[in-house]
Amino acid sequence: MSKVLVIGAGGVSSVAVHKMAMNSGIFSHISVASRTKSKCDAIAESVKQRTEVAIDTYALDAEDVPATIALIERIRPKLVVNLALPYQDLAIMDACLATGVDYLDTANYEPKDEARFEYKWQWAYHDRFREKGIMALLGSGFDPGVTSVFAMWLKKHKLKTIRRLDILDCNGGDHGQAFAANFNPEINIREVTAPARHWENGAFVETPAMSVKQSFDFEGVGPKNMYLMYHEELESLARFIPEMERARFWMTFGDEYIKHLTVLQNVGMTRIDPVIYEGKEIIPLQFLKAVLPEPASLGPTTKGKTNIGDIATGEALDGSGEKTFYIKNICDHEAAYEETGNQAVSYTTGVPAMIGAAMMLTGAWRGEGVFNMEEFDPDPFMDMLNLHGLPWTVEELPGPLGF
């Protein structure tokens, strides 16, 4: 049984905290901190109603390292779970180093002034965490996170090597809004408008954003257009599966989303550089985030399912030649909302955050330094997915994707 401090109070944090409260044998005491304490209080109230577990709440600017150090020293958690913005990763890691407390996040660091997220900044902390005798687990969401664990499970149980890998992320939900993001709009739009990159023959190949489109028929959803994008797990997968010849990440978007996003780009609303408005400096994308629907508000209206998985091709473990396997999870928006008060996009990230934390707190995954999901035994994590709302299936396909 262990104390945890969760930083961040969005939909992902809400799901993670609800699921932690449902597993009090692992999470003995939960504290939630965010810049806006009222959001933490709302999570605590929902958790109390659903589970009768009391949650402590605090106001915290996670970019203020001394303030974060002071809160960690006050609470004395065994683990800090960072579910705040990616810009804040390094500040929170610094606070964990100063206090000797383990760290977990769901998305890698990204500088505010450049839409380019890479692991290099966090990997650079490895020696300092190791010397301090503490552990950092990076990317314990769904993608990144579960998608990497899926790949390593296939490599342990089905494939001797992975030659080709495609990660397919489909949100088939309908929230009833003309335009809205299912997670933090600022991060979502920065991610979507950044150049696409995929791994091929030992290097990343860059293409213009949203310029490569394919159609795929997703179980539980139906045919959807999906677009080639860059996602951070491609970087860690290329590092930990060195024989991989090609790895790609695909995400689905509806035509209405693309139309609205194109207009917003054309009029400059997705810019991340400052502009002067009425004598004040503002970031257009941050202003846009303020006027778009709050992702946490979409839960009651969102219908449909998500379908996220890996298609991997390589040499079969049993010596039967080259094989292709498709491993995936399908999550229902309405079921996720009924359980936690959040839609499935938050649910599919928040549950793996809880599971990653459980892996660390129970000792199933341990180490000193900074680690990615690919570096640990996938089996206990995969078992917990089945037990805690994200069941997965695996099937053999006739061959890799034809494109």
mmCIF file with all atom_site columns, all heavy atoms in Angstrom, residues 1-6 20 26-31 56 72-81 101 361:
data_model
loop_
_atom_site.group_PDB
_atom_site.id
_atom_site.type_symbol
_atom_site.label_atom_id
_atom_site.label_alt_id
_atom_site.label_comp_id
_atom_site.label_asym_id
_atom_site.label_entity_id
_atom_site.label_seq_id
_atom_site.pdbx_PDB_ins_code
_atom_site.Cartn_x
_atom_site.Cartn_y
_atom_site.Cartn_z
_atom_site.occupancy
_atom_site.B_iso_or_equiv
_atom_site.pdbx_formal_charge
_atom_site.auth_seq_id
_atom_site.auth_comp_id
_atom_site.auth_asym_id
_atom_site.auth_atom_id
_atom_site.pdbx_PDB_model_num
ATOM 1   N N   . MET A 1 1   ? 0.843  -1.193 0.000   1.00 0.00 ? 1   MET A N   1
ATOM 2   C CA  . MET A 1 1   ? 0.000  0.000  0.000   1.00 0.00 ? 1   MET A CA  1
ATOM 3   C C   . MET A 1 1   ? 0.876  1.240  0.000   1.00 0.00 ? 1   MET A C   1
ATOM 4   O O   . MET A 1 1   ? 1.839  1.312  0.745   1.00 0.00 ? 1   MET A O   1
ATOM 5   C CB  . MET A 1 1   ? -0.926 0.004  1.210   1.00 0.00 ? 1   MET A CB  1
ATOM 6   C CG  . MET A 1 1   ? -1.975 -1.104 1.135   1.00 0.00 ? 1   MET A CG  1
ATOM 7   S SD  . MET A 1 1   ? -3.096 -1.235 2.517   1.00 0.00 ? 1   MET A SD  1
ATOM 8   C CE  . MET A 1 1   ? -3.503 0.435  2.905   1.00 0.00 ? 1   MET A CE  1
ATOM 9   N N   . SER A 1 2   ? 0.526  2.227  -0.877  1.00 0.00 ? 2   SER A N   1
ATOM 10  C CA  . SER A 1 2   ? 1.429  3.350  -1.073  1.00 0.00 ? 2   SER A CA  1
ATOM 11  C C   . SER A 1 2   ? 0.679  4.639  -1.347  1.00 0.00 ? 2   SER A C   1
ATOM 12  O O   . SER A 1 2   ? -0.378 4.638  -1.980  1.00 0.00 ? 2   SER A O   1
ATOM 13  C CB  . SER A 1 2   ? 2.365  3.063  -2.254  1.00 0.00 ? 2   SER A CB  1
ATOM 14  O OG  . SER A 1 2   ? 3.072  1.861  -2.060  1.00 0.00 ? 2   SER A OG  1
ATOM 15  N N   . LYS A 1 3   ? 1.278  5.740  -0.906  1.00 0.00 ? 3   LYS A N   1
ATOM 16  C CA  . LYS A 1 3   ? 0.763  7.064  -1.220  1.00 0.00 ? 3   LYS A CA  1
ATOM 17  C C   . LYS A 1 3   ? 1.197  7.463  -2.624  1.00 0.00 ? 3   LYS A C   1
ATOM 18  O O   . LYS A 1 3   ? 2.345  7.192  -3.026  1.00 0.00 ? 3   LYS A O   1
ATOM 19  C CB  . LYS A 1 3   ? 1.312  8.101  -0.235  1.00 0.00 ? 3   LYS A CB  1
ATOM 20  C CG  . LYS A 1 3   ? 0.724  8.059  1.147   1.00 0.00 ? 3   LYS A CG  1
ATOM 21  C CD  . LYS A 1 3   ? 1.289  9.231  1.947   1.00 0.00 ? 3   LYS A CD  1
ATOM 22  C CE  . LYS A 1 3   ? 0.714  9.302  3.340   1.00 0.00 ? 3   LYS A CE  1
ATOM 23  N NZ  . LYS A 1 3   ? 1.242  10.469 4.085   1.00 0.00 ? 3   LYS A NZ  1
ATOM 24  N N   . VAL A 1 4   ? 0.305  8.148  -3.350  1.00 0.00 ? 4   VAL A N   1
ATOM 25  C CA  . VAL A 1 4   ? 0.660  8.696  -4.647  1.00 0.00 ? 4   VAL A CA  1
ATOM 26  C C   . VAL A 1 4   ? 0.200  10.143 -4.717  1.00 0.00 ? 4   VAL A C   1
ATOM 27  O O   . VAL A 1 4   ? -0.829 10.513 -4.142  1.00 0.00 ? 4   VAL A O   1
ATOM 28  C CB  . VAL A 1 4   ? 0.051  7.901  -5.825  1.00 0.00 ? 4   VAL A CB  1
ATOM 29  C CG1 . VAL A 1 4   ? 0.644  6.522  -5.923  1.00 0.00 ? 4   VAL A CG1 1
ATOM 30  C CG2 . VAL A 1 4   ? -1.459 7.838  -5.727  1.00 0.00 ? 4   VAL A CG2 1
ATOM 31  N N   . LEU A 1 5   ? 0.961  10.941 -5.455  1.00 0.00 ? 5   LEU A N   1
ATOM 32  C CA  . LEU A 1 5   ? 0.574  12.309 -5.783  1.00 0.00 ? 5   LEU A CA  1
ATOM 33  C C   . LEU A 1 5   ? 0.346  12.374 -7.282  1.00 0.00 ? 5   LEU A C   1
ATOM 34  O O   . LEU A 1 5   ? 1.258  12.093 -8.061  1.00 0.00 ? 5   LEU A O   1
ATOM 35  C CB  . LEU A 1 5   ? 1.672  13.299 -5.383  1.00 0.00 ? 5   LEU A CB  1
ATOM 36  C CG  . LEU A 1 5   ? 1.516  14.731 -5.923  1.00 0.00 ? 5   LEU A CG  1
ATOM 37  C CD1 . LEU A 1 5   ? 0.206  15.366 -5.452  1.00 0.00 ? 5   LEU A CD1 1
ATOM 38  C CD2 . LEU A 1 5   ? 2.726  15.587 -5.528  1.00 0.00 ? 5   LEU A CD2 1
ATOM 39  N N   . VAL A 1 6   ? -0.867 12.712 -7.688  1.00 0.00 ? 6   VAL A N   1
ATOM 40  C CA  . VAL A 1 6   ? -1.216 12.871 -9.096  1.00 0.00 ? 6   VAL A CA  1
ATOM 41  C C   . VAL A 1 6   ? -1.230 14.363 -9.409  1.00 0.00 ? 6   VAL A C   1
ATOM 42  O O   . VAL A 1 6   ? -1.942 15.134 -8.742  1.00 0.00 ? 6   VAL A O   1
ATOM 43  C CB  . VAL A 1 6   ? -2.591 12.253 -9.412  1.00 0.00 ? 6   VAL A CB  1
ATOM 44  C CG1 . VAL A 1 6   ? -2.959 12.481 -10.868 1.00 0.00 ? 6   VAL A CG1 1
ATOM 45  C CG2 . VAL A 1 6   ? -2.595 10.766 -9.075  1.00 0.00 ? 6   VAL A CG2 1
ATOM 46  N N   . MET A 1 20  ? -7.501 4.299  -9.449  1.00 0.00 ? 20  MET A N   1
ATOM 47  C CA  . MET A 1 20  ? -6.658 4.102  -8.269  1.00 0.00 ? 20  MET A CA  1
ATOM 48  C C   . MET A 1 20  ? -7.524 3.874  -7.037  1.00 0.00 ? 20  MET A C   1
ATOM 49  O O   . MET A 1 20  ? -7.254 2.975  -6.223  1.00 0.00 ? 20  MET A O   1
ATOM 50  C CB  . MET A 1 20  ? -5.751 5.319  -8.054  1.00 0.00 ? 20  MET A CB  1
ATOM 51  C CG  . MET A 1 20  ? -4.641 5.466  -9.060  1.00 0.00 ? 20  MET A CG  1
ATOM 52  S SD  . MET A 1 20  ? -3.741 7.028  -8.815  1.00 0.00 ? 20  MET A SD  1
ATOM 53  C CE  . MET A 1 20  ? -2.544 6.944  -10.163 1.00 0.00 ? 20  MET A CE  1
ATOM 54  N N   . ILE A 1 26  ? -3.566 -1.262 -3.482  1.00 0.00 ? 26  ILE A N   1
ATOM 55  C CA  . ILE A 1 26  ? -2.283 -0.789 -4.025  1.00 0.00 ? 26  ILE A CA  1
ATOM 56  C C   . ILE A 1 26  ? -2.079 0.678  -3.690  1.00 0.00 ? 26  ILE A C   1
ATOM 57  O O   . ILE A 1 26  ? -0.997 1.098  -3.288  1.00 0.00 ? 26  ILE A O   1
ATOM 58  C CB  . ILE A 1 26  ? -2.229 -1.003 -5.552  1.00 0.00 ? 26  ILE A CB  1
ATOM 59  C CG1 . ILE A 1 26  ? -2.341 -2.492 -5.893  1.00 0.00 ? 26  ILE A CG1 1
ATOM 60  C CG2 . ILE A 1 26  ? -0.933 -0.415 -6.131  1.00 0.00 ? 26  ILE A CG2 1
ATOM 61  C CD1 . ILE A 1 26  ? -2.466 -2.771 -7.382  1.00 0.00 ? 26  ILE A CD1 1
ATOM 62  N N   . PHE A 1 27  ? -3.142 1.460  -3.856  1.00 0.00 ? 27  PHE A N   1
ATOM 63  C CA  . PHE A 1 27  ? -3.062 2.915  -3.680  1.00 0.00 ? 27  PHE A CA  1
ATOM 64  C C   . PHE A 1 27  ? -3.739 3.274  -2.352  1.00 0.00 ? 27  PHE A C   1
ATOM 65  O O   . PHE A 1 27  ? -4.955 3.452  -2.289  1.00 0.00 ? 27  PHE A O   1
ATOM 66  C CB  . PHE A 1 27  ? -3.737 3.625  -4.849  1.00 0.00 ? 27  PHE A CB  1
ATOM 67  C CG  . PHE A 1 27  ? -3.164 3.259  -6.192  1.00 0.00 ? 27  PHE A CG  1
ATOM 68  C CD1 . PHE A 1 27  ? -3.714 2.219  -6.945  1.00 0.00 ? 27  PHE A CD1 1
ATOM 69  C CD2 . PHE A 1 27  ? -2.069 3.942  -6.704  1.00 0.00 ? 27  PHE A CD2 1
ATOM 70  C CE1 . PHE A 1 27  ? -3.182 1.873  -8.178  1.00 0.00 ? 27  PHE A CE1 1
ATOM 71  C CE2 . PHE A 1 27  ? -1.529 3.596  -7.936  1.00 0.00 ? 27  PHE A CE2 1
ATOM 72  C CZ  . PHE A 1 27  ? -2.079 2.565  -8.674  1.00 0.00 ? 27  PHE A CZ  1
ATOM 73  N N   . SER A 1 28  ? -2.949 3.368  -1.299  1.00 0.00 ? 28  SER A N   1
ATOM 74  C CA  . SER A 1 28  ? -3.509 3.555  0.038   1.00 0.00 ? 28  SER A CA  1
ATOM 75  C C   . SER A 1 28  ? -3.972 4.981  0.286   1.00 0.00 ? 28  SER A C   1
ATOM 76  O O   . SER A 1 28  ? -4.874 5.224  1.088   1.00 0.00 ? 28  SER A O   1
ATOM 77  C CB  . SER A 1 28  ? -2.484 3.158  1.095   1.00 0.00 ? 28  SER A CB  1
ATOM 78  O OG  . SER A 1 28  ? -1.311 3.958  0.971   1.00 0.00 ? 28  SER A OG  1
ATOM 79  N N   . HIS A 1 29  ? -3.359 5.945  -0.400  1.00 0.00 ? 29  HIS A N   1
ATOM 80  C CA  . HIS A 1 29  ? -3.720 7.346  -0.201  1.00 0.00 ? 29  HIS A CA  1
ATOM 81  C C   . HIS A 1 29  ? -3.415 8.097  -1.487  1.00 0.00 ? 29  HIS A C   1
ATOM 82  O O   . HIS A 1 29  ? -2.320 7.986  -2.031  1.00 0.00 ? 29  HIS A O   1
ATOM 83  C CB  . HIS A 1 29  ? -2.948 7.951  0.970   1.00 0.00 ? 29  HIS A CB  1
ATOM 84  C CG  . HIS A 1 29  ? -3.429 9.304  1.367   1.00 0.00 ? 29  HIS A CG  1
ATOM 85  N ND1 . HIS A 1 29  ? -2.987 10.452 0.763   1.00 0.00 ? 29  HIS A ND1 1
ATOM 86  C CD2 . HIS A 1 29  ? -4.339 9.693  2.295   1.00 0.00 ? 29  HIS A CD2 1
ATOM 87  C CE1 . HIS A 1 29  ? -3.590 11.495 1.307   1.00 0.00 ? 29  HIS A CE1 1
ATOM 88  N NE2 . HIS A 1 29  ? -4.420 11.072 2.238   1.00 0.00 ? 29  HIS A NE2 1
ATOM 89  N N   . ILE A 1 30  ? -4.386 8.879  -1.966  1.00 0.00 ? 30  ILE A N   1
ATOM 90  C CA  . ILE A 1 30  ? -4.255 9.581  -3.237  1.00 0.00 ? 30  ILE A CA  1
ATOM 91  C C   . ILE A 1 30  ? -4.429 11.069 -3.020  1.00 0.00 ? 30  ILE A C   1
ATOM 92  O O   . ILE A 1 30  ? -5.404 11.514 -2.401  1.00 0.00 ? 30  ILE A O   1
ATOM 93  C CB  . ILE A 1 30  ? -5.317 9.094  -4.254  1.00 0.00 ? 30  ILE A CB  1
ATOM 94  C CG1 . ILE A 1 30  ? -5.285 7.573  -4.388  1.00 0.00 ? 30  ILE A CG1 1
ATOM 95  C CG2 . ILE A 1 30  ? -5.102 9.753  -5.617  1.00 0.00 ? 30  ILE A CG2 1
ATOM 96  C CD1 . ILE A 1 30  ? -6.541 6.983  -5.005  1.00 0.00 ? 30  ILE A CD1 1
ATOM 97  N N   . SER A 1 31  ? -3.475 11.852 -3.530  1.00 0.00 ? 31  SER A N   1
ATOM 98  C CA  . SER A 1 31  ? -3.565 13.306 -3.531  1.00 0.00 ? 31  SER A CA  1
ATOM 99  C C   . SER A 1 31  ? -3.557 13.790 -4.976  1.00 0.00 ? 31  SER A C   1
ATOM 100 O O   . SER A 1 31  ? -2.846 13.216 -5.814  1.00 0.00 ? 31  SER A O   1
ATOM 101 C CB  . SER A 1 31  ? -2.401 13.941 -2.770  1.00 0.00 ? 31  SER A CB  1
ATOM 102 O OG  . SER A 1 31  ? -2.379 13.513 -1.420  1.00 0.00 ? 31  SER A OG  1
ATOM 103 N N   . ASP A 1 56  ? -7.315 13.860 -1.235  1.00 0.00 ? 56  ASP A N   1
ATOM 104 C CA  . ASP A 1 56  ? -6.818 15.186 -0.865  1.00 0.00 ? 56  ASP A CA  1
ATOM 105 C C   . ASP A 1 56  ? -6.551 16.010 -2.117  1.00 0.00 ? 56  ASP A C   1
ATOM 106 O O   . ASP A 1 56  ? -6.082 15.462 -3.133  1.00 0.00 ? 56  ASP A O   1
ATOM 107 C CB  . ASP A 1 56  ? -5.522 15.068 -0.058  1.00 0.00 ? 56  ASP A CB  1
ATOM 108 C CG  . ASP A 1 56  ? -5.736 14.430 1.304   1.00 0.00 ? 56  ASP A CG  1
ATOM 109 O OD1 . ASP A 1 56  ? -6.883 14.456 1.787   1.00 0.00 ? 56  ASP A OD1 1
ATOM 110 O OD2 . ASP A 1 56  ? -4.760 13.902 1.864   1.00 0.00 ? 56  ASP A OD2 1
ATOM 111 N N   . ILE A 1 72  ? 5.599  17.818 -2.464  1.00 0.00 ? 72  ILE A N   1
ATOM 112 C CA  . ILE A 1 72  ? 6.051  16.430 -2.339  1.00 0.00 ? 72  ILE A CA  1
ATOM 113 C C   . ILE A 1 72  ? 6.553  16.163 -0.922  1.00 0.00 ? 72  ILE A C   1
ATOM 114 O O   . ILE A 1 72  ? 6.239  15.126 -0.314  1.00 0.00 ? 72  ILE A O   1
ATOM 115 C CB  . ILE A 1 72  ? 7.142  16.113 -3.385  1.00 0.00 ? 72  ILE A CB  1
ATOM 116 C CG1 . ILE A 1 72  ? 6.565  16.159 -4.812  1.00 0.00 ? 72  ILE A CG1 1
ATOM 117 C CG2 . ILE A 1 72  ? 7.770  14.751 -3.116  1.00 0.00 ? 72  ILE A CG2 1
ATOM 118 C CD1 . ILE A 1 72  ? 7.611  16.039 -5.909  1.00 0.00 ? 72  ILE A CD1 1
ATOM 119 N N   . GLU A 1 73  ? 7.311  17.097 -0.365  1.00 0.00 ? 73  GLU A N   1
ATOM 120 C CA  . GLU A 1 73  ? 7.832  16.916 0.990   1.00 0.00 ? 73  GLU A CA  1
ATOM 121 C C   . GLU A 1 73  ? 6.710  16.917 2.021   1.00 0.00 ? 73  GLU A C   1
ATOM 122 O O   . GLU A 1 73  ? 6.787  16.220 3.043   1.00 0.00 ? 73  GLU A O   1
ATOM 123 C CB  . GLU A 1 73  ? 8.855  18.008 1.300   1.00 0.00 ? 73  GLU A CB  1
ATOM 124 C CG  . GLU A 1 73  ? 10.152 17.838 0.505   1.00 0.00 ? 73  GLU A CG  1
ATOM 125 C CD  . GLU A 1 73  ? 11.154 18.953 0.764   1.00 0.00 ? 73  GLU A CD  1
ATOM 126 O OE1 . GLU A 1 73  ? 10.717 20.049 1.193   1.00 0.00 ? 73  GLU A OE1 1
ATOM 127 O OE2 . GLU A 1 73  ? 12.355 18.739 0.509   1.00 0.00 ? 73  GLU A OE2 1
ATOM 128 N N   . ARG A 1 74  ? 5.648  17.655 1.726   1.00 0.00 ? 74  ARG A N   1
ATOM 129 C CA  . ARG A 1 74  ? 4.508  17.699 2.648   1.00 0.00 ? 74  ARG A CA  1
ATOM 130 C C   . ARG A 1 74  ? 3.719  16.389 2.616   1.00 0.00 ? 74  ARG A C   1
ATOM 131 O O   . ARG A 1 74  ? 3.361  15.838 3.661   1.00 0.00 ? 74  ARG A O   1
ATOM 132 C CB  . ARG A 1 74  ? 3.610  18.869 2.267   1.00 0.00 ? 74  ARG A CB  1
ATOM 133 C CG  . ARG A 1 74  ? 2.331  18.974 3.082   1.00 0.00 ? 74  ARG A CG  1
ATOM 134 C CD  . ARG A 1 74  ? 1.515  20.172 2.626   1.00 0.00 ? 74  ARG A CD  1
ATOM 135 N NE  . ARG A 1 74  ? 0.219  20.242 3.292   1.00 0.00 ? 74  ARG A NE  1
ATOM 136 C CZ  . ARG A 1 74  ? -0.711 21.163 3.030   1.00 0.00 ? 74  ARG A CZ  1
ATOM 137 N NH1 . ARG A 1 74  ? -0.468 22.109 2.131   1.00 0.00 ? 74  ARG A NH1 1
ATOM 138 N NH2 . ARG A 1 74  ? -1.870 21.153 3.682   1.00 0.00 ? 74  ARG A NH2 1
ATOM 139 N N   . ILE A 1 75  ? 3.484  15.863 1.412   1.00 0.00 ? 75  ILE A N   1
ATOM 140 C CA  . ILE A 1 75  ? 2.665  14.653 1.263   1.00 0.00 ? 75  ILE A CA  1
ATOM 141 C C   . ILE A 1 75  ? 3.480  13.389 1.498   1.00 0.00 ? 75  ILE A C   1
ATOM 142 O O   . ILE A 1 75  ? 2.981  12.398 2.009   1.00 0.00 ? 75  ILE A O   1
ATOM 143 C CB  . ILE A 1 75  ? 2.024  14.624 -0.147  1.00 0.00 ? 75  ILE A CB  1
ATOM 144 C CG1 . ILE A 1 75  ? 1.071  15.804 -0.308  1.00 0.00 ? 75  ILE A CG1 1
ATOM 145 C CG2 . ILE A 1 75  ? 1.307  13.306 -0.409  1.00 0.00 ? 75  ILE A CG2 1
ATOM 146 C CD1 . ILE A 1 75  ? 0.556  15.983 -1.724  1.00 0.00 ? 75  ILE A CD1 1
ATOM 147 N N   . ARG A 1 76  ? 4.745  13.401 1.069   1.00 0.00 ? 76  ARG A N   1
ATOM 148 C CA  . ARG A 1 76  ? 5.655  12.255 1.129   1.00 0.00 ? 76  ARG A CA  1
ATOM 149 C C   . ARG A 1 76  ? 5.099  11.029 0.387   1.00 0.00 ? 76  ARG A C   1
ATOM 150 O O   . ARG A 1 76  ? 4.961  9.934  0.969   1.00 0.00 ? 76  ARG A O   1
ATOM 151 C CB  . ARG A 1 76  ? 5.993  11.901 2.583   1.00 0.00 ? 76  ARG A CB  1
ATOM 152 C CG  . ARG A 1 76  ? 6.712  13.003 3.324   1.00 0.00 ? 76  ARG A CG  1
ATOM 153 C CD  . ARG A 1 76  ? 7.218  12.578 4.679   1.00 0.00 ? 76  ARG A CD  1
ATOM 154 N NE  . ARG A 1 76  ? 7.928  13.644 5.353   1.00 0.00 ? 76  ARG A NE  1
ATOM 155 C CZ  . ARG A 1 76  ? 9.203  13.981 5.128   1.00 0.00 ? 76  ARG A CZ  1
ATOM 156 N NH1 . ARG A 1 76  ? 9.903  13.322 4.227   1.00 0.00 ? 76  ARG A NH1 1
ATOM 157 N NH2 . ARG A 1 76  ? 9.759  14.969 5.802   1.00 0.00 ? 76  ARG A NH2 1
ATOM 158 N N   . PRO A 1 77  ? 4.789  11.186 -0.892  1.00 0.00 ? 77  PRO A N   1
ATOM 159 C CA  . PRO A 1 77  ? 4.298  10.046 -1.666  1.00 0.00 ? 77  PRO A CA  1
ATOM 160 C C   . PRO A 1 77  ? 5.444  9.121  -2.052  1.00 0.00 ? 77  PRO A C   1
ATOM 161 O O   . PRO A 1 77  ? 6.616  9.514  -2.044  1.00 0.00 ? 77  PRO A O   1
ATOM 162 C CB  . PRO A 1 77  ? 3.704  10.700 -2.911  1.00 0.00 ? 77  PRO A CB  1
ATOM 163 C CG  . PRO A 1 77  ? 4.584  11.905 -3.126  1.00 0.00 ? 77  PRO A CG  1
ATOM 164 C CD  . PRO A 1 77  ? 4.919  12.396 -1.728  1.00 0.00 ? 77  PRO A CD  1
ATOM 165 N N   . LYS A 1 78  ? 5.088  7.903  -2.412  1.00 0.00 ? 78  LYS A N   1
ATOM 166 C CA  . LYS A 1 78  ? 6.085  6.978  -2.941  1.00 0.00 ? 78  LYS A CA  1
ATOM 167 C C   . LYS A 1 78  ? 6.281  7.208  -4.438  1.00 0.00 ? 78  LYS A C   1
ATOM 168 O O   . LYS A 1 78  ? 7.323  6.878  -4.993  1.00 0.00 ? 78  LYS A O   1
ATOM 169 C CB  . LYS A 1 78  ? 5.653  5.529  -2.694  1.00 0.00 ? 78  LYS A CB  1
ATOM 170 C CG  . LYS A 1 78  ? 6.723  4.507  -3.025  1.00 0.00 ? 78  LYS A CG  1
ATOM 171 C CD  . LYS A 1 78  ? 6.327  3.117  -2.561  1.00 0.00 ? 78  LYS A CD  1
ATOM 172 C CE  . LYS A 1 78  ? 7.431  2.114  -2.859  1.00 0.00 ? 78  LYS A CE  1
ATOM 173 N NZ  . LYS A 1 78  ? 7.051  0.738  -2.419  1.00 0.00 ? 78  LYS A NZ  1
ATOM 174 N N   . LEU A 1 79  ? 5.251  7.794  -5.092  1.00 0.00 ? 79  LEU A N   1
ATOM 175 C CA  . LEU A 1 79  ? 5.281  7.976  -6.543  1.00 0.00 ? 79  LEU A CA  1
ATOM 176 C C   . LEU A 1 79  ? 4.549  9.256  -6.905  1.00 0.00 ? 79  LEU A C   1
ATOM 177 O O   . LEU A 1 79  ? 3.473  9.538  -6.378  1.00 0.00 ? 79  LEU A O   1
ATOM 178 C CB  . LEU A 1 79  ? 4.602  6.783  -7.232  1.00 0.00 ? 79  LEU A CB  1
ATOM 179 C CG  . LEU A 1 79  ? 4.360  6.873  -8.748  1.00 0.00 ? 79  LEU A CG  1
ATOM 180 C CD1 . LEU A 1 79  ? 5.688  6.879  -9.500  1.00 0.00 ? 79  LEU A CD1 1
ATOM 181 C CD2 . LEU A 1 79  ? 3.478  5.715  -9.207  1.00 0.00 ? 79  LEU A CD2 1
ATOM 182 N N   . VAL A 1 80  ? 5.132  10.027 -7.848  1.00 0.00 ? 80  VAL A N   1
ATOM 183 C CA  . VAL A 1 80  ? 4.462  11.170 -8.457  1.00 0.00 ? 80  VAL A CA  1
ATOM 184 C C   . VAL A 1 80  ? 4.000  10.755 -9.851  1.00 0.00 ? 80  VAL A C   1
ATOM 185 O O   . VAL A 1 80  ? 4.805  10.313 -10.675 1.00 0.00 ? 80  VAL A O   1
ATOM 186 C CB  . VAL A 1 80  ? 5.388  12.396 -8.546  1.00 0.00 ? 80  VAL A CB  1
ATOM 187 C CG1 . VAL A 1 80  ? 4.738  13.507 -9.376  1.00 0.00 ? 80  VAL A CG1 1
ATOM 188 C CG2 . VAL A 1 80  ? 5.724  12.915 -7.152  1.00 0.00 ? 80  VAL A CG2 1
ATOM 189 N N   . VAL A 1 81  ? 2.694  10.859 -10.099 1.00 0.00 ? 81  VAL A N   1
ATOM 190 C CA  . VAL A 1 81  ? 2.107  10.527 -11.394 1.00 0.00 ? 81  VAL A CA  1
ATOM 191 C C   . VAL A 1 81  ? 1.804  11.839 -12.111 1.00 0.00 ? 81  VAL A C   1
ATOM 192 O O   . VAL A 1 81  ? 0.896  12.577 -11.720 1.00 0.00 ? 81  VAL A O   1
ATOM 193 C CB  . VAL A 1 81  ? 0.831  9.678  -11.230 1.00 0.00 ? 81  VAL A CB  1
ATOM 194 C CG1 . VAL A 1 81  ? 0.205  9.376  -12.591 1.00 0.00 ? 81  VAL A CG1 1
ATOM 195 C CG2 . VAL A 1 81  ? 1.154  8.381  -10.498 1.00 0.00 ? 81  VAL A CG2 1
ATOM 196 N N   . VAL A 1 101 ? 11.886 10.828 -5.117  1.00 0.00 ? 101 VAL A N   1
ATOM 197 C CA  . VAL A 1 101 ? 10.607 10.148 -5.302  1.00 0.00 ? 101 VAL A CA  1
ATOM 198 C C   . VAL A 1 101 ? 10.474 9.674  -6.747  1.00 0.00 ? 101 VAL A C   1
ATOM 199 O O   . VAL A 1 101 ? 10.856 10.379 -7.685  1.00 0.00 ? 101 VAL A O   1
ATOM 200 C CB  . VAL A 1 101 ? 9.428  11.088 -4.947  1.00 0.00 ? 101 VAL A CB  1
ATOM 201 C CG1 . VAL A 1 101 ? 8.089  10.434 -5.256  1.00 0.00 ? 101 VAL A CG1 1
ATOM 202 C CG2 . VAL A 1 101 ? 9.505  11.478 -3.468  1.00 0.00 ? 101 VAL A CG2 1
ATOM 203 N N   . LEU A 1 361 ? 4.581  0.411  -8.008  1.00 0.00 ? 361 LEU A N   1
ATOM 204 C CA  . LEU A 1 361 ? 4.346  0.341  -6.565  1.00 0.00 ? 361 LEU A CA  1
ATOM 205 C C   . LEU A 1 361 ? 4.381  -1.085 -6.027  1.00 0.00 ? 361 LEU A C   1
ATOM 206 O O   . LEU A 1 361 ? 4.766  -1.307 -4.869  1.00 0.00 ? 361 LEU A O   1
ATOM 207 C CB  . LEU A 1 361 ? 3.011  0.999  -6.230  1.00 0.00 ? 361 LEU A CB  1
ATOM 208 C CG  . LEU A 1 361 ? 2.934  2.512  -6.482  1.00 0.00 ? 361 LEU A CG  1
ATOM 209 C CD1 . LEU A 1 361 ? 1.517  3.016  -6.284  1.00 0.00 ? 361 LEU A CD1 1
ATOM 210 C CD2 . LEU A 1 361 ? 3.898  3.269  -5.571  1.00 0.00 ? 361 LEU A CD2 1
#
